[in-house]
Amino acid sequence: DQQVKQNSPSLSVQEGRISILNCDYTNSMFDYFLWYKKYPAEGPTFLISISSIKDKNEDGRFTVFLNKSAKHLSLHIVPSQPGDSAVYFCAARRYNFNKFYFGSGTKLNVKP
Amino acid sequence: NAGVTQTPKFQVLKTGQSMTLQCAQDMNHEYMSWYRQDPGMGLRLIHYSVGAGITDQGEVPNGYNVSRSTTEDFPLRLLSAAPSQTSVYFCASRLDRNYGYTFGSGTRLTVV
């Protein structure tokens, strides 16, 4: 049973517009969340994280929002660029546990 | 460059064969993990280690063994390869539980 779910396998966005990638989780004990970006034939690379004590974290064009009551997080990319085209994974961890649980990924295509 | 190095990048095995996927990191990270990536399943944890001499099972450990004799190396052994083990395997390391992972570039394994 997947504890972290990304229900949209793919998303297509025009260059310059906002990309919103969504992630839901089932375990209310998760306290730390991350987003990874993955290009073909490469390993995932860390993008941005958020702790459960916050509801928003920004890093340049990337912002992650956390809604604990809904067990939902989202990644906003503004403005989207063609180089952002990749698969995005969200991941979650329970406090003091060593395992990260990953979603199935969303493939983002940013059209020029 | 510092990072996580995985070898080989590609491998084809016959059913029943055994092999070891190599993983080495030079960042002095205590935590290391092996994940497999399958279509629609995201990244699933196979085994992980929180330091030399300490390993534990992840979500999908059956058919795999690991050992951690040094901080740098974390090999993954397939005991008797099965077609269900056809996947892309990623090794990852992190400094401690408060950091995200650095991933290797992956090993694409096909079992025929």
Side-chain angles (χ1 to χ4, degrees):
Chain A
D1 185 31
Q2 276 195 294
Q3 300 194 48
V4 178
K5 298 179 183 179
Q6 293 175 257
N7 293 318
S8 298
S10 63
L11 174 67
S12 189
V13 170
Q14 202 68 37
E15 181 180 6
R17 306 293 291 268
I18 184 172
S19 295
I20 301 176
L21 296 96
N22 295 304
C23 180
D24 297 296
Y25 60 95
T26 58
N27 192 336
S28 58
M29 300 298 290
F30 285 152
D31 74 323
Y32 187 54
F33 305 88
L34 306 95
W35 283 93
Y36 280 84
K37 180 165 84 170
K38 184 184 180 304
Y39 293 118
E42 295 183 11
T45 55
F46 170 74
L47 194 57
I48 192 169
S49 65
I50 189 167
S51 163
S52 61
I53 62 173
K54 294 185 174 181
D55 54 20
K56 178 182 172 181
N57 189 28
E58 278 183 88
D59 184 2
R61 295 185 297 114
F62 302 92
T63 303
V64 56
F65 294 92
L66 176 62
N67 183 334
K68 290 186 287 293
S69 61
K71 296 192 187 70
H72 177 84
L73 67 156
S74 61
L75 175 68
H76 293 211
I77 306 173
V78 185
S80 302
Q81 299 174 354
D84 296 329
S85 297
V87 177
Y88 290 78
F89 292 98
C90 65
R93 183 206 68 191
R94 181 177 168 180
Y95 177 73
N96 261 348
F97 278 59
N98 295 311
K99 301 179 188 179
F100 276 93
Y101 295 90
F102 283 81
S104 54
T106 296
K107 185 174 184 179
L108 174 66
N109 179 33
V110 180
K111 296 177 288 187
Chain B
N1 290 337
V4 179
T5 302
Q6 290 184 237
T7 56
K9 291 192 182 301
F10 301 95
Q11 183 70 49
V12 179
L13 287 180
K14 293 183 179 178
T15 297
Q17 285 185 316
S18 62
M19 80 158 294
T20 299
L21 307 186
Q22 301 292 344
C23 176
Q25 53 93 7
D26 57 2
M27 298 173 283
N28 204 31
H29 286 175
E30 290 295 326
Y31 288 60
M32 296 187 75
S33 298
W34 276 102
Y35 285 87
R36 58 178 289 175
Q37 182 192 8
D38 301 293
M41 301 293 289
L43 294 157
R44 291 183 294 169
L45 181 64
I46 305 171
H47 286 285
Y48 66 99
S49 168
V50 299
I54 307 169
T55 63
D56 203 349
Q57 295 182 350
E59 302 169 74
V60 288
N62 292 341
Y64 307 95
N65 271 357
V66 291
S67 59
R68 184 94 180 272
S69 56
T70 67
T71 299
E72 293 78 21
D73 300 297
F74 191 42
L76 178 72
R77 296 183 190 83
L78 279 72
L79 309 173
S80 177
S84 61
Q85 293 178 305
T86 293
S87 187
V88 181
Y89 291 84
F90 289 101
C91 179
S93 73
R94 59 192 173 112
L95 184 61
D96 62 31
R97 63 164 58 96
N98 296 318
Y99 286 81
Y101 281 115
T102 298
F103 281 85
S105 57
T107 295
R108 183 174 293 274
L109 175 69
T110 303
V111 183
V112 298

